[in-house]
Amino acid sequence: MKEFNRMSRLPPYVFSIVNKIKMNARHKGEDIVDLGMGNPDIPTPKHIVDKLIEAAQKGHNHRYSASMGITKLRHAICNWYKRRFDVDLDPDEEAIVTIGAKEGLSHLVLAVISPGDVVFAPNPTYPIHPYSVIIAGGDLRSIPIGPDRDFFEDLSNATKQTWPSPKMLILSYPHNPTTEVVDITFFEKIVAFCKEHDIMVVHDFAYADLVFDGYKPPSFLQVPGAKDIGVELFSLSKSYSMPGWRVGFCVGNPVIVSALRRIKSYLDYGVFQPIQIAAIIALNGPYDCVEKIVNIYRERRDVLVDGLNRIGWKTEKPKATMFVWAKIPEQYIKMGSLKFSEILIREAKVAVSPGIGFGDYGDNYIRFALVENPHRIKQAIRGIRHIL
């Protein structure tokens, strides 16, 4: 009872340190502007909520659902891909509903990775990407990413130096936390490289819709042959502001999708059926509700980045995601992101996510989440100006 091996491989959760300081400050009555956790605050569009209510009032929807997702939702998923990216998918063999992208990715890795299998994941990156590998007993290797790195050079070097050969590469673009974006050429090179080296690809496409300034993100599956080696995950959490609903999907290679379907058949009975029905309405419905959500994030991004630059914290505007990835000001950079985040809470009354929580290569940065309205963001800028 004293030692659980799998738990011992997981490091302490860095964000809990910042959260504890934040909560202690709030218990003292301090007003903390919370730009830490990427928890969307925008209400789910009304027509989706209305459908949930309607479906929840029907008793037959209260029973166990299907772990792979109801048929009409899987068809809606495939139609959405066809409309958005001109990608053809088989709803029975190449699509599965997940309890959000996080659950889908973690159970997928658990299904296909054995102890000792090598998996590549970017660093820094969203924590479940590397830690799903740790939980599955795999051997995690980090590929550094950032403005001063050549991803394919680092990927090639890591592959040459790795034995046994890597089995999987986990990616996510637009990227959390760095907000990096790529074009279709990037995925073409990924497909060619991973086919050559027999590497599975898992692409987390959670921020497919949260893009700005004319940028259009490509789907990994748009590349010819991508479906031969990989899958893509999407979540309705950000695009449709449905984070607490926990619904997403995984599409692509039928063998990989089948592995996820099989392990989920043992682990869960699927998403509550009224939520799946409401998700059909979301995917099949008007896109203007997504555009309104994107415009809200764009306004918040502009207020935050313009404000930071105005007070002397040089920061670029991201082309995607609901985050701003900001390099720590030079006079504070030696202390690292965790200590700097503590100072921001205590002295500026602003909570952020320390970059170290996303990997060692993120320690010179902090991440702002655009989850407060412009008035509160301006309040945060005033607090930060005080310490700068």
Side-chain angles (χ1 to χ4, degrees):
M1 293 291 287
K2 294 181 179 179
E3 182 71 28
F4 298 106
N5 184 55
R6 185 167 282 111
M7 293 300 98
S8 69
R9 292 192 70 198
L10 293 172
Y13 200 56
V14 171
F15 303 116
S16 64
I17 299 172
V18 175
N19 287 337
K20 184 176 181 180
I21 297 170
K22 176 185 69 181
M23 295 311 299
N24 286 341
R26 284 183 167 170
H27 289 154
K28 295 176 184 176
E30 297 177 9
D31 182 17
I32 305 296
V33 180
D34 192 354
L35 304 176
M37 182 179 177
N39 190 1
D41 63 315
I42 304 167
T44 306
K46 184 177 183 300
H47 69 285
I48 302 173
V49 177
D50 289 344
K51 191 63 180 182
L52 171 71
I53 294 169
E54 177 190 320
Q57 290 173 336
K58 297 178 179 178
H60 64 266
N61 286 328
H62 300 174
R63 305 180 70 186
Y64 290 130
S65 188
S67 63
M68 67 183 294
I70 60 177
T71 301
K72 287 186 177 180
L73 178 51
R74 285 183 282 110
H75 278 269
I77 290 164
C78 295
N79 291 336
W80 183 85
Y81 255 90
K82 182 64 178 176
R83 291 194 310 271
R84 294 289 306 280
F85 305 107
D86 196 27
V87 172
D88 292 306
L89 294 163
D90 182 336
D92 295 320
E93 303 294 331
E94 298 175 337
I96 182 171
V97 178
T98 61
I99 309 172
K102 190 174 184 179
E103 175 272 326
L105 188 144
S106 54
H107 280 152
L108 172 59
V109 174
L110 190 62
V112 302
I113 294 300
S114 302
D117 284 346
V118 175
V119 178
F120 288 159
N123 186 332
T125 198
Y126 184 52
I128 196 58
H129 296 164
Y131 294 131
S132 62
V133 180
I134 301 298
I135 292 168
D139 184 0
L140 173 70
R141 307 291 174 89
S142 294
I143 308 295
I145 61 171
D148 56 343
R149 308 292 309 200
D150 182 322
F151 181 82
F152 285 98
E153 181 179 328
D154 289 333
L155 178 62
S156 179
N157 289 337
T159 303
K160 292 174 184 175
Q161 297 165 11
T162 297
W163 183 260
S165 299
K167 188 170 182 178
M168 177 184 287
L169 170 64
I170 299 175
L171 295 170
S172 181
Y173 289 99
H175 188 255
N176 173 18
T178 69
T179 73
E180 282 192 11
V181 296
V182 297
D183 57 20
I184 194 68
T185 303
F186 177 89
F187 285 133
E188 289 171 349
K189 293 171 70 175
I190 287 291
V191 170
F193 183 91
C194 291
K195 277 195 171 188
E196 178 185 352
H197 295 279
D198 195 24
I199 302 172
M200 281 185 287
V201 178
V202 177
H203 180 233
D204 184 350
F205 204 22
Y207 296 93
D209 291 304
L210 296 195
V211 294
F212 318 113
D213 307 334
Y215 171 68
K216 295 187 184 300
S219 162
F220 162 73
L221 295 177
Q222 285 179 282
V223 178
K227 212 192 299 185
D228 297 338
I229 57 167
V231 293
E232 192 160 71
L233 293 114
F234 179 79
S235 167
L236 278 71
S237 295
K238 313 303 188 300
S239 300
Y240 297 92
S241 205
M242 297 167 63
W245 299 53
R246 307 315 303 135
V247 60
F249 51 81
C250 176
V251 294
N253 182 273
V255 177
I256 300 175
V257 169
S258 176
L260 178 56
R261 180 169 62 240
R262 188 172 182 189
I263 197 170
K264 281 176 64 64
S265 70
Y266 286 94
L267 293 171
D268 68 72
Y269 285 110
V271 179
F272 183 43
Q273 193 150 293
I275 291 177
Q276 294 192 56
I277 294 169
I280 295 169
I281 297 302
L283 293 174
N284 288 342
Y287 192 71
D288 60 343
C289 64
V290 178
E291 292 172 339
K292 289 178 182 177
I293 290 168
V294 172
N295 285 334
I296 290 171
Y297 285 122
R298 181 189 294 109
E299 180 187 11
R300 294 175 178 184
R301 175 203 67 167
D302 291 347
V303 170
L304 177 62
V305 176
D306 290 345
L308 290 174
N309 283 308
R310 190 170 57 250
I311 64 175
W313 188 345
K314 299 304 178 185
T315 309
E316 293 185 10
K317 288 184 179 178
K319 291 184 178 180
T321 77
M322 54 183 288
F323 306 111
V324 170
W325 184 242
K327 192 168 187 179
I328 298 171
E330 201 60 41
Q331 65 267 39
Y332 290 102
I333 204 164
K334 287 185 178 179
M335 68 174 57
S337 59
L338 185 57
K339 185 67 176 177
F340 182 62
S341 297
E342 293 176 15
I343 289 175
L344 284 179
I345 294 177
R346 291 196 171 106
E347 299 185 24
K349 311 306 178 188
V350 179
V352 300
S353 292
I356 189 70
F358 303 97
D360 292 342
Y361 288 92
D363 199 26
N364 288 342
Y365 294 81
I366 56 96
R367 190 196 72 178
F368 294 95
L370 302 172
V371 293
E372 292 271 17
N373 63 48
H375 174 75
R376 294 280 287 170
I377 292 174
K378 290 176 182 177
Q379 179 181 330
I381 294 295
R382 291 193 293 272
I384 295 169
R385 180 179 61 191
H386 170 72
I387 68 164
L388 294 186

